Amino acid sequence: MNIGRISDLISNETCFEMIRENRWPDGTVRCPHCDSENIKKNGHDNVQIECQHYYCKSCKRYFDDLTNTVFSGHHRPLKVWVACLYLMALNVSNNQIAQELDLCASDAHHMTTVLRNGVVDQKPEVILNGEVEFDEVYIVAGHKGHPEALKKSGSSCEKKKA
């Protein structure tokens, strides 16, 4: 029995609905450029017709569902990106992702790299406050592997010629 590919089990329409729900949880579309709610729907994408285009009346700029997201500006359908993200969450290798999504290995590697970098870029900076305690600290002393640096600095360990 052939179950098929995971990308065949999901649709672009479902993926775009998921993006909209996560991006604008209260249902109010906001401009990614100026954060205005003064938005007008402006048709759909020619290739991925599920992708809604918008026009911001405040800053007079156009945007769509994917603007300023890790998924924007790529030629693969959104359902392939979502399926790739799902397989990454299952800790599947790049080669297995390529096979499952019918991609070449370099495309799968590129997609997983873009997704990983997107997650890292969105990760908030850690701000420490109060008392911070460290268990162990390793301090590098000297010029390990670069003895010529010690000679140049005139280290006191060298025997001086009289």
Side-chain angles (χ1 to χ4, degrees):
M1 181 171 120
N2 187 2
I3 335 175
R5 301 196 181 281
I6 190 167
S7 58
D8 296 335
L9 299 175
I10 56 177
S11 69
N12 262 347
E13 186 176 341
T14 306
C15 293
F16 276 102
E17 287 173 11
M18 178 191 67
I19 293 290
R20 285 186 209 107
E21 287 173 6
N22 284 301
R23 190 164 192 184
W24 302 296
D26 62 353
T28 304
V29 177
R30 303 182 74 84
C31 176
H33 307 292
C34 70
D35 207 35
S36 170
E37 293 180 8
N38 195 7
I39 303 298
K40 178 179 103 172
K41 287 186 177 182
N42 192 42
H44 294 273
D45 191 74
N46 292 334
V47 178
Q48 296 190 77
I49 57 171
E50 301 86 359
C51 182
Q52 178 69 54
H53 286 204
Y54 304 95
Y55 176 73
C56 177
K57 295 178 184 178
S58 298
C59 69
K60 299 183 179 9
R61 293 178 76 176
Y62 295 91
F63 65 97
D64 63 30
D65 293 327
L66 303 178
T67 300
N68 292 349
T69 69
V70 71
F71 304 113
S72 67
H74 302 288
H75 299 288
R76 299 251 178 234
L78 182 60
K79 70 179 190 172
V80 174
W81 284 91
V82 171
C84 181
L85 192 59
Y86 175 75
L87 292 171
M88 286 173 63
L90 295 176
N91 204 23
V92 175
S93 73
N94 284 358
N95 287 336
Q96 289 172 310
I97 290 173
Q99 187 177 20
E100 179 62 37
L101 300 179
D102 199 24
L103 304 169
C104 67
S106 63
D107 285 350
H109 175 73
H110 172 73
M111 289 175 73
T112 56
T113 302
V114 167
L115 290 169
R116 283 187 190 102
N117 290 340
V119 169
V120 170
D121 291 344
Q122 296 297 321
K123 184 179 176 183
E125 185 179 330
V126 176
I127 299 172
L128 303 175
N129 60 13
E131 189 173 319
V132 179
E133 188 176 315
F134 290 91
D135 287 340
E136 296 176 20
V137 177
Y138 179 74
I139 299 173
V140 178
H143 300 278
K144 192 172 189 177
H146 300 286
E148 64 277 356
L150 280 174
K151 291 177 185 175
K152 288 180 185 175
S153 68
S155 173
S156 61
C157 294
E158 294 179 28
K159 292 183 180 179
K160 295 187 179 183
K161 294 181 182 178

